[in-house]
Amino acid sequence: MTCIGNDYSFEEVFSRQVQALGRPGDVLIAFTTSGRSPDVLAALRAAREAFVGTVSFLGRDGGPALALSDCALVVHHEDTARIQEGHQFLMHCLMDIIEEGIGRVP
């Protein structure tokens, strides 16, 4: 991650990894309390180009990330700490659903 930031730009730290590692059918999980973080937006764009699905945990009004997300979980609040608490709760709920689903696989 450091070499990407140093050799390219920190705006590309996530998108370069999506480009290198993302494959169709994969899912990128993104977090941004503003929905406007340039590095996260670049990763969401890279995911779209690579046919990688996206689940985004967003805050406020979702910002530009909302339109780039296949599934957006938006915490409509202005306070960053409250948004992050909401994201944490939603992530735990999502993991419970996934674990329950995996447990049902024969």
Side-chain angles (χ1 to χ4, degrees):
M1 197 160 114
T2 303
C3 69
I4 295 170
N6 288 338
D7 295 346
Y8 297 94
S9 76
F10 281 97
E11 189 172 310
E12 296 182 48
V13 294
F14 302 127
S15 63
R16 301 276 302 179
Q17 293 176 72
V18 171
Q19 291 166 350
L21 303 171
R23 300 290 176 262
D26 289 347
V27 176
L28 171 71
I29 298 176
F31 290 85
T32 168
T33 58
S34 68
R36 292 168 170 69
S37 303
D39 52 347
V40 176
L41 293 173
L44 290 168
R45 287 186 199 100
R48 182 161 283 175
E49 291 171 7
F51 302 100
V52 170
T54 56
V55 175
S56 298
F57 291 78
L58 311 173
R60 298 182 176 86
D61 64 358
L66 185 62
L68 295 170
S69 303
D70 296 321
C71 176
L73 302 167
V74 184
V75 177
H76 292 281
H77 204 284
E78 294 299 316
D79 185 273
T80 299
R82 299 296 82 79
I83 294 167
Q84 291 171 341
E85 289 169 351
H87 287 171
Q88 191 172 31
F89 173 75
L90 291 168
M91 179 56 104
H92 282 289
C93 291
L94 181 60
M95 292 303 107
D96 286 344
I97 293 167
I98 291 170
E99 287 175 3
E100 185 177 313
I102 290 173
R104 292 184 188 162
V105 176

